[in-house]
Amino acid sequence: MKISYKWLKKFVDVDYTPDELSEKLTLLGLEVASITYVGYKLNDVFAAKVLDVKKIKGSDHLNVCKVRIVDKVYQIVCGASNIAENQLVALAVEGADLPCGLKIKKTVIKGVESCGMICSKKELGLEGDSTGIWVLGNFFKEGAKLSSIDGIEDIIIEIELTPNRPDCLSMLGVAREVAVLTGNKLKYPQLDKLDIPIKVNDNIPIKILDSDLCENYSAYIIRGITVAPSPFWLANAVEKLGMRSINNIVDITNYVLMEMGHPLHAFDLAKIQGPEIVVRRAKKNESIKTLDDKVRELDDTVLLIADKSSALAVAGVMGGADSEVTESTTDILLEGAYFNPVNIRNTSKKLGLSSEASYRFERGTDRVGFQDALTRAAYMTAKICGASSISNLFQDEPAKYTDNIVTGNLRKIRSYLGIKIFDDEILEIFKNLDFVLKKRINDDIELQIPSYRVDISIEEDLIEEVARIYGYDKIPMANPGSDFIDPQKNKRLIYSQFTRDVLTGAGLYETITCSLVPSETAESVNCVFADKNYPALRIANPISEMQEVLQVSLLPNILDVIKLNTKSRQETIRLFEIGNIFIPLKEKNVREKNALCLAVSGNREKFFWLDSSSSWDFYSFKGFVTDYLELLGFANLSFCRSKHSLFHPGRSADIFIGKNKIGAIGQVHPSKTAEIGVNELTFAGEFDADYLSENMKINGSYCPLPKYPAIERDLAVVVDSDLLFQEINDAVNLKKPELMESYRVVSVYEGDPIAQGKKSLNLRMTYRDREKTLNDQEVDKIHDDFSQYIVLKINAELR
Amino acid sequence: MRDKINSIQIQAENDLSDCSTIEDIENLRVKFLGKKGQITLLYQNIKDVAPEDRPQMGQFINDLKQKITSAIVNVKDRIEKNILQKRLEQEAIDVTLPGRSSGFGKIHPLAKTMRSVIKIFQSIGFSVAQGPEVETEYYNFDALNIPSYHPARDMQDTFFLENGKLLRTHTSPVQIRVMENRTPPVRIIAPGRVYRNEAINARSYCLFHQVEGFYVDSSVTFSELKGVLGYFAKELFGEDSKIRIRPSFFPFTEPSLECDVSCFLCSGKGCRVCKKTGWLEILGAGMIHPAVLRSVGYDSSQVQGYAFGMGIERITMLLYGINDIRLFFENDLRFLSQF
């Protein structure tokens, strides 16, 4: 919201400079976003009369004009299309240094001398954008220096108000805060003195049918007015605060809106059927054409201001076009009301229509004080629009307003804030805020809150007011509470920090990507951890196709990152990400899972001048993965072929621990790498980080070093070529002899002299007794028995 | 015999000085000490010497053998040293050429800031809790004193899901979930990812990371909150950092505050980043609204507490002078490698 520094000074004495004031307001909770100086540097700009306009020969738009400032006539070349004789215009004379940066001096244009410039509002810094020159109304006197005219020079302070402070959405509201700040007295705007008859009985019936949505509706009738452009001071005042000047009637309601914060509306009385006012819910299929010339379909949640036959306005949001005040209007009904904030907000949302009025009504207006604003506007209208008569304020029987009483406790206020403040100081703060002390028993107090402070309803609100006025900056810093609270271990945090350390140490970079993905991305990949694939969960109100559904896997995004970095010619790409995936379940349910994704592409190591770096292959990636898992304490991994669509079907594996599928790894499918234009030797994997963090063991117990030597024995078997090693491993683990410490694959061989369709595997077993030295005979016996078992189990031949 | 011995000695000395390879030495050894070597021959010829001279002659031959043997060892040693010396010279490389680097990775700048923030609060007794990103309206809004008609719902644009749930717009729902399951005192921080339905540009992204913190106990005060924020600012932004707090509004806190830290880029003098104010807005906080405490079944007349929340992207951007939030989510290695 914008406020005018000069206008503010009419309501309260301010000694602070605009900068100081802004700082103070910010510390008071009214955050100042910007300070703008307008209308300055206009010392050499005068109101001047256009005497004569003639086209310059050879130019289609330039005119040579004779322009007069009292007794001096200037020749000016002007290109504006809206210039005409007898206009009063703003003339910048030689030497003027305008806000737009122009310095005015004598020039010759198309051979014609020009001794100044006729200015637009934009050039004078009074408006953001202008069409043509500024034609001054009759409110200016020829020869007047613009800078000397009241209201031209001003400082506009823009405040970003929080939604709890609608009471500050006006000049008066901010002035109230400044009054508390400075201790200076607030000067309320005074009613204009009228010398026209007040017709006590001039009124029309008002019926509030839905008093739950409208507590009070009040009005004035003002007759014999002339609708015309506003006087300069009025138009200038509303324009400075960011509104358009329409005519005197509209400008007055806007002026009072800005001044006192209450939305008001004027109807052309002649267009009200009855005449009577009915405040009611809209009927089914009822519609109204609003002031913006759009037809709005309504329903029975929308509150209307209607006459005998039809809707006049959407209550609290916007007036209707049919009852609009026009140039031919002579009598008006000026209304003011208090509407239910929730209802106005819903209507505004439903119609997709918000206005200065709805903005205030939905935040909560002054249910008592609005009548003062209405009277102020009615008297201004009568005065400025030359009314012949004015009514008294009239209204339907209003709903009873009960005072807002809030109780508090002085001791609690102190202890809550942790400050040393005397009772009297607290009470003084409340007094300055016009919170009336109704009752006090020891530390318990009862305060009557002014009707404009809609944000004060509980003791904590009172505490905030004390803190605010006392000064947040003066509140001391205390040590954090010292109560011992059992620290809670967070396994997920421990896991992710450990993983980050390990993987970055191994040369991988961490990525963070967007968990919202295009739907094609989600459709193109199935979730590693789901048995059944349901469609990915969609955003109901996406802002873009690029963020439409919740990711079911981290893999697509990390491949995008590889793509990006391949494009920027990175030769070594090694990445990981820890993030949540959203596994779709039936009936649009979703299971959130923390996942880890690894991906490598390009060279295994950085470029080296001596030789070309080696590429990744499946086994080097798998080895890396199993090393990582082993570090987390996972040893008994089993693998099977993966069916994941993103992977090369022959070079990918699902990883299990027992029955839990904890991940899948593989070479990225060649058609995918080709599609995104990255190295074909790209490998990736995704892991169940929830499982890993829950079951990791990074602090195992110590096992004494062996004292006795180990003995090794080899076992060479010939098996079908398509037999997976996993079967052998399972067989080994099933009946592993007690004294067999470990075993490893020494070689795998296919080809001569091994028969076609067969392969030879050479395993090397390590035997050790931790209690004594084993002898050959013992080991031979164990090894031979075990070999027999393996050969039978996997249907192999000994070699 | 004596002459013979002498001449062999002279010959051996000459031969030795001619040796330049291990092979020469070996040949020399065979020539003098081998089975048919000259020394061996001398021993065989000793029988021709008069018996009374034999011991002395034997002694001479022994001495000569000893001399030649040790001379061979010495020369061999010298030659080996020379050979090694030559090898080392040949093996010399340009040690100033770059090495073969496999390169370390780095954690993401956001994770880095997150880790620092978590560490600071852990050091003063906060535990870490997490919650789901897919939330219900109840946890994200209602329980936090943001009813459906509240204008505050305009402050954060929400991604709603087709199943009626939503993506949390802040980490505050974790506050509710933790309090529901625990009785005071509780002192928790909740780091995590949150979402806002906003157009993506240099200043805003559809998701970001927050750290929420709160402490509820019987007598937690506003000034303690200020103390915690002051400590946090000094730890994260440096010893000389000051904080400024000012009134603000959040539906879930009362009183509420916005916390600024003195601009560490210009030391509070005023620069482009702090918009000449000398202050950088870093977090929002306040005393937990009694309605929030009641929504989790706490007795708001018996316990009170504070809560705060900060955006990790914003803080990271300030710390490193990053001017485009999208860089965090593009993951260009040329960007990631700088942190």
Side-chain angles (χ1 to χ4, degrees):
Chain A
M1 192 204 48
K2 289 174 175 169
I3 60 162
S4 145
Y5 182 70
K6 289 261 167 87
W7 195 351
L8 187 72
K9 282 186 154 183
K10 291 184 183 168
F11 297 125
V12 63
D13 293 336
V14 188
D15 301 328
Y16 304 125
T17 63
D19 283 331
E20 286 167 350
L21 180 67
S22 296
E23 167 85 10
K24 302 243 179 217
L25 287 175
T26 297
L27 288 176
L28 209 56
L30 279 60
E31 190 182 353
V32 171
S34 67
I35 305 170
T36 313
Y37 287 73
V38 295
Y40 281 80
K41 299 172 87 176
L42 301 182
N43 287 325
D44 298 306
V45 184
F46 299 89
K49 186 96 172 174
V50 181
L51 301 177
D52 183 47
V53 179
K54 282 205 179 71
K55 278 254 173 298
I56 294 181
K57 272 184 195 153
S59 166
D60 51 355
H61 70 287
L62 290 178
N63 295 302
V64 56
C65 313
K66 293 271 184 295
V67 186
R68 185 186 68 198
I69 301 175
V70 195
D71 49 5
K72 201 167 171 198
V73 178
Y74 296 80
Q75 175 171 294
I76 309 287
V77 175
C78 177
S81 57
N82 65 329
I83 190 153
E85 283 170 19
N86 287 324
Q87 278 173 341
L88 208 55
V89 294
L91 177 65
V93 299
E94 207 183 330
D97 180 5
L98 299 179
C100 64
L102 280 177
K103 290 193 169 78
I104 304 303
K105 48 186 184 231
K106 245 183 217 172
T107 55
V108 176
I109 303 166
K110 289 253 171 194
V112 181
E113 192 183 53
S114 183
C115 308
M117 184 170 86
I118 301 173
C119 304
S120 69
K121 276 191 162 181
K122 185 186 178 184
E123 284 153 350
L124 299 176
L126 297 173
E127 191 170 82
D129 206 8
S130 296
T131 51
I133 52 154
W134 182 20
V135 180
L136 280 55
N138 300 326
F139 313 102
F140 288 86
K141 263 202 180 124
E142 186 186 330
K145 205 179 206 181
L146 254 60
S147 59
S148 67
I149 291 166
D150 193 29
I152 289 264
E153 282 183 3
D154 205 344
I155 297 140
I156 303 301
I157 299 174
E158 182 151 22
I159 300 178
E160 279 175 3
L161 272 180
T162 50
N164 61 325
R165 294 302 303 275
D167 62 298
C168 288
L169 285 167
S170 65
M171 296 299 314
L172 192 63
V174 176
R176 266 194 301 256
E177 292 280 307
V178 175
V180 176
L181 197 67
T182 56
N184 294 338
K185 213 171 151 49
L186 187 67
K187 293 174 274 188
Y188 276 92
Q190 296 297 306
L191 288 181
D192 289 294
K193 290 212 164 52
L194 298 180
D195 46 12
I196 52 167
I198 294 173
K199 290 192 180 164
V200 180
N201 293 322
D202 190 7
N203 59 38
I204 61 170
I206 295 173
K207 288 179 209 153
I208 301 174
L209 299 186
D210 292 290
S211 57
D212 55 330
L213 303 185
C214 175
E215 185 176 279
N216 189 334
Y217 188 97
S218 307
Y220 276 92
I221 288 173
I222 308 155
R223 295 185 188 271
I225 52 124
T226 308
V227 178
S230 295
F232 171 73
W233 66 266
L234 178 57
N236 182 47
V238 296
E239 282 178 349
K240 264 194 305 203
L241 298 190
M243 305 184 87
R244 268 180 54 226
S245 170
I246 311 284
N247 58 40
N248 49 8
I249 300 289
V250 176
D251 288 359
I252 287 166
T253 57
N254 282 336
Y255 183 90
V256 175
L257 175 73
M258 294 298 161
E259 184 180 63
M260 300 181 72
H262 202 90
L264 305 166
H265 187 70
F267 297 105
D268 186 335
L269 186 59
K271 294 172 185 164
I272 299 177
Q273 303 299 310
E276 66 174 30
I277 291 288
V278 184
V279 184
R280 60 166 171 86
R281 285 180 156 87
K283 293 168 197 146
K284 249 192 187 164
N285 302 325
E286 197 170 359
S287 66
I288 184 174
K289 189 160 131 196
T290 41
L291 280 172
D292 53 3
D293 271 338
K294 284 188 183 139
V295 177
R296 312 276 174 177
E297 303 298 330
L298 310 170
D299 62 35
D300 64 359
T301 63
V302 175
L303 188 71
L304 288 180
I305 310 302
D307 59 16
K308 204 174 168 185
S309 56
S310 59
L312 298 173
V314 180
V317 181
M318 195 174 272
D322 295 341
S323 56
E324 187 179 1
V325 172
T326 62
E327 276 173 28
S328 58
T329 302
T330 56
D331 301 340
I332 62 162
L333 179 91
L334 188 67
E335 63 145 52
Y338 177 80
F339 299 116
N340 178 309
V342 176
N343 179 255
I344 299 296
R345 177 174 164 77
N346 288 342
T347 299
S348 167
K349 262 175 108 174
K350 184 171 288 177
L351 300 182
L353 178 63
S354 71
S355 59
E356 290 281 347
S358 69
Y359 186 78
R360 284 170 174 79
F361 278 122
E362 70 183 32
R363 279 164 173 72
T365 48
D366 184 352
R367 63 218 302 175
V368 178
F370 82 88
Q371 289 188 335
D372 294 341
L374 176 61
T375 303
R376 162 94 171 130
Y379 276 60
M380 271 180 78
T381 306
K383 179 98 179 169
I384 292 166
C385 308
S388 57
S389 75
I390 185 168
S391 73
N392 263 350
L393 181 139
F394 57 98
Q395 58 188 320
D396 191 11
E397 188 62 33
K400 254 228 145 60
Y401 167 70
T402 46
D403 288 335
N404 180 13
I405 305 285
V406 178
T407 58
N409 180 288
L410 295 168
R411 202 179 57 241
K412 175 159 181 187
I413 292 174
R414 261 190 298 272
S415 71
Y416 206 76
L417 292 173
I419 55 174
K420 293 189 182 97
I421 181 171
F422 293 113
D423 291 353
D424 288 350
E425 289 176 80
I426 296 176
L427 294 173
E428 179 71 15
I429 287 172
F430 289 140
K431 197 176 147 217
N432 290 338
L433 287 165
D434 283 330
F435 293 8
V436 181
L437 183 64
K438 283 293 191 187
K439 217 197 260 177
R440 175 177 176 183
I441 301 166
N442 298 325
D443 283 339
D444 290 322
I445 53 169
E446 217 176 270
L447 296 165
Q448 184 187 323
I449 309 300
S451 55
Y452 52 81
R453 286 305 300 269
V454 296
D455 59 322
I456 308 290
S457 58
I458 56 172
E459 185 174 21
E460 283 73 11
D461 297 325
L462 299 178
I463 294 173
E464 180 170 72
E465 290 306 294
V466 172
R468 216 164 59 81
I469 307 303
Y470 177 82
Y472 274 32
D473 50 336
K474 283 191 223 136
I475 291 171
M477 292 205 212
N479 277 329
S482 54
D483 270 8
F484 179 78
I485 304 172
D486 268 342
Q488 306 250 310
K489 277 243 160 82
N490 188 303
K491 287 181 178 169
R492 196 164 138 180
L493 184 76
I494 295 168
Y495 164 77
S496 57
Q497 294 195 341
F498 182 81
T499 294
R500 284 191 178 101
D501 290 342
V502 167
L503 295 182
T504 54
L508 276 63
Y509 276 91
E510 184 182 13
T511 67
I512 293 182
T513 60
C514 184
S515 18
L516 304 175
V517 295
S519 40
E520 309 89 77
T521 305
E523 280 159 18
S524 71
V525 58
N526 40 357
C527 174
V528 171
F529 309 102
D531 306 325
K532 216 172 155 190
N533 282 303
Y534 295 97
L537 195 62
R538 305 185 72 84
I539 304 284
N541 56 336
I543 198 160
S544 140
E545 286 173 357
M546 295 304 290
Q547 293 93 31
E548 225 171 10
V549 301
L550 291 178
Q551 65 183 3
V552 300
S553 166
L554 298 172
L555 290 165
N557 275 350
I558 216 158
L559 288 180
D560 272 351
V561 175
I562 290 178
K563 180 180 167 186
L564 173 98
N565 285 295
T566 301
K567 267 190 186 160
S568 70
R569 299 180 175 269
Q570 294 287 339
E571 291 163 335
T572 306
I573 303 173
R574 296 172 299 202
L575 309 168
F576 75 99
E577 175 161 2
I578 303 170
N580 279 7
I581 57 170
F582 304 84
I583 304 172
L585 307 174
K586 62 181 175 190
E587 284 155 7
K588 299 197 191 309
N589 283 317
V590 72
R591 184 157 57 98
E592 223 172 300
K593 180 179 281 303
N594 198 228
L596 164 72
C597 186
L598 305 177
V600 296
S601 183
N603 297 337
R604 285 188 66 181
E605 293 184 330
K606 287 184 165 179
F607 174 81
F608 182 55
W609 50 269
L610 185 59
D611 48 25
S612 60
S613 179
S614 61
S615 297
W616 287 90
D617 57 39
F618 180 81
Y619 293 117
S620 56
F621 185 64
K622 181 181 175 183
F624 176 74
V625 166
T626 49
D627 282 351
Y628 161 71
L629 291 171
E630 199 179 311
L631 206 55
L632 290 172
F634 299 109
N636 290 321
L637 307 170
S638 64
F639 299 83
C640 69
R641 283 205 191 282
S642 174
K643 292 196 177 99
H644 198 275
S645 58
L646 207 58
F647 293 137
H648 187 310
R651 293 185 180 176
S652 58
D654 288 343
I655 310 175
F656 287 83
I657 296 176
K659 287 208 165 79
N660 295 298
K661 182 174 179 181
I662 61 137
I665 57 168
Q667 179 177 345
V668 176
H669 201 291
S671 56
K672 182 72 188 172
T673 49
E675 177 199 322
I676 61 173
V678 305
N679 193 320
E680 186 166 289
L681 294 175
T682 294
F683 296 85
E686 190 166 22
F687 305 87
D688 182 344
D690 283 340
Y691 181 90
L692 299 181
S693 45
E694 200 54 46
N695 297 287
M696 67 190 266
K697 278 201 190 79
I698 44 176
N699 300 312
S701 57
Y702 150 82
C703 175
L705 301 182
K707 287 185 202 145
Y708 303 98
I711 295 180
E712 289 180 339
R713 287 287 184 277
D714 280 9
L715 168 62
V717 288
V718 175
V719 295
D720 290 345
S721 347
D722 58 1
L723 179 99
L724 292 178
F725 166 71
Q726 186 64 46
E727 280 190 44
I728 301 173
N729 192 47
D730 287 345
V732 169
N733 285 332
L734 193 66
K735 282 201 176 162
K736 199 168 126 184
E738 207 184 323
L739 296 180
M740 191 179 109
E741 194 176 67
S742 62
Y743 86 107
R744 59 188 164 135
V745 180
V746 186
S747 68
V748 180
Y749 177 74
E750 254 176 296
D752 211 35
I754 308 297
Q756 190 117 35
K758 299 276 181 186
K759 65 183 171 188
S760 150
L761 270 131
N762 200 355
L763 309 176
R764 184 162 297 158
M765 278 77 171
T766 304
Y767 296 92
R768 193 200 303 270
D769 190 331
R770 299 192 72 86
E771 305 299 325
K772 63 177 177 29
T773 303
L774 282 173
N775 64 42
D776 285 345
Q777 289 86 344
E778 281 175 286
V779 174
D780 286 344
K781 172 88 175 71
I782 297 167
H783 184 69
D784 290 347
D785 289 352
F786 190 53
S787 303
Q788 286 297 322
Y789 153 75
I790 295 286
V791 163
L792 274 174
K793 183 81 185 168
I794 59 167
N795 198 17
E797 290 164 33
L798 270 177
R799 218 186 133 210
Chain B
M1 185 82 189
R2 197 56 214 271
D3 295 344
K4 183 101 185 180
I5 290 171
N6 281 340
S7 81
I8 287 174
Q9 181 167 355
I10 289 162
Q11 197 189 346
E13 277 166 8
N14 286 339
D15 284 3
L16 267 171
S17 65
D18 289 347
C19 278
S20 59
T21 67
I22 294 288
E23 237 173 20
D24 293 345
I25 283 283
E26 182 57 21
N27 290 341
L28 185 138
R29 192 189 62 79
V30 173
K31 183 175 172 188
F32 292 96
L33 304 175
K35 266 182 192 162
K36 290 175 184 165
Q38 303 206 23
I39 299 288
T40 316
L41 288 178
L42 280 179
Y43 280 118
Q44 285 167 8
N45 293 342
I46 205 160
K47 61 182 187 294
D48 302 334
V49 176
E52 62 275 21
D53 291 337
R54 281 179 196 168
Q56 197 191 6
M57 221 32 80
Q59 186 61 46
F60 283 142
I61 299 170
N62 278 347
D63 286 351
L64 178 59
K65 188 184 176 186
Q66 182 59 42
K67 267 182 193 160
I68 293 176
T69 307
S70 72
I72 286 175
V73 168
N74 284 340
V75 171
K76 195 177 174 188
D77 215 42
R78 199 189 72 229
I79 290 172
E80 276 175 348
K81 269 188 186 143
N82 281 340
I83 290 170
L84 182 64
Q85 183 62 34
K86 269 188 192 139
R87 199 187 109 198
L88 293 180
E89 276 166 22
Q90 278 163 6
E91 281 176 359
I93 53 170
D94 181 352
V95 295
T96 63
L97 274 169
R100 188 195 299 272
S101 110
S102 86
F104 290 101
K106 286 183 173 178
I107 73 171
H108 195 279
L110 294 175
K112 197 172 167 181
T113 306
M114 189 73 104
R115 185 180 275 195
S116 311
V117 171
I118 289 171
K119 233 167 128 185
I120 292 167
F121 286 106
Q122 279 182 331
S123 75
I124 48 174
F126 283 79
S127 294
V128 176
Q130 277 140 337
E133 292 170 20
V134 172
E135 264 296 1
T136 61
E137 289 206 48
Y138 175 77
Y139 283 106
N140 197 69
F141 292 124
D142 302 276
L144 289 158
N145 196 34
I146 317 174
S148 58
Y149 56 80
H150 203 292
R153 285 204 182 184
D154 278 352
M155 289 164 77
Q156 28 190 251
D157 295 308
T158 311
F159 278 119
F160 288 97
L161 299 169
E162 54 178 347
N163 63 6
K165 292 187 175 180
L166 49 79
L167 289 172
R168 64 179 179 190
T169 58
H170 45 195
T171 40
S172 306
V174 183
Q175 187 184 326
I176 302 297
R177 289 180 178 276
V178 170
M179 290 198 295
E180 275 181 345
N181 290 310
R182 294 185 54 187
T183 50
V186 275
R187 194 157 49 211
I188 296 286
I189 52 165
R193 187 176 285 200
V194 303
Y195 300 81
R196 297 280 166 92
N197 197 345
E198 286 173 358
I200 293 175
N201 56 44
R203 296 281 202 78
S204 78
Y205 201 73
C206 58
L207 63 87
F208 60 98
H209 296 77
Q210 265 192 345
V211 173
E212 172 95 3
F214 65 98
Y215 176 28
V216 181
D217 205 343
S218 54
S219 58
V220 182
T221 66
F222 191 83
S223 65
E224 275 176 46
L225 168 59
K226 194 171 170 183
V228 164
L229 299 180
Y231 171 77
F232 166 72
K234 277 191 195 303
E235 288 290 309
L236 190 67
F237 299 105
E239 265 307 296
D240 299 329
S241 299
K242 289 184 191 64
I243 59 161
R244 175 178 85 165
I245 62 168
R246 53 195 164 78
S248 187
F249 170 75
F250 308 106
F252 30 91
T253 49
E254 187 73 37
S256 302
L257 67 87
E258 202 95 51
C259 179
D260 305 327
V261 64
S262 51
C263 182
F264 45 82
L265 299 167
C266 62
S267 311
K269 285 186 206 92
C271 66
R272 190 184 53 81
V273 175
C274 62
K275 293 184 196 138
K276 310 252 180 230
T277 61
W279 297 101
L280 298 166
E281 192 177 313
I282 52 158
L283 59 82
M287 298 297 283
I288 300 172
H289 196 287
V292 175
L293 296 174
R294 282 196 298 273
S295 77
V296 298
Y298 287 3
D299 180 350
S300 63
S301 68
Q302 296 301 311
V303 293
Q304 60 199 41
Y306 59 72
F308 53 84
M310 67 190 85
I312 296 300
E313 275 75 357
R314 175 167 170 76
I315 289 175
T316 310
M317 288 170 88
L318 291 173
L319 281 173
Y320 298 102
I322 297 164
N323 53 11
D324 190 335
I325 193 170
R326 290 169 296 194
L327 285 167
F328 290 127
F329 306 103
E330 274 171 9
N331 299 291
D332 192 316
L333 286 167
R334 294 168 299 181
F335 174 76
L336 296 179
S337 58
Q338 294 183 40
F339 300 93

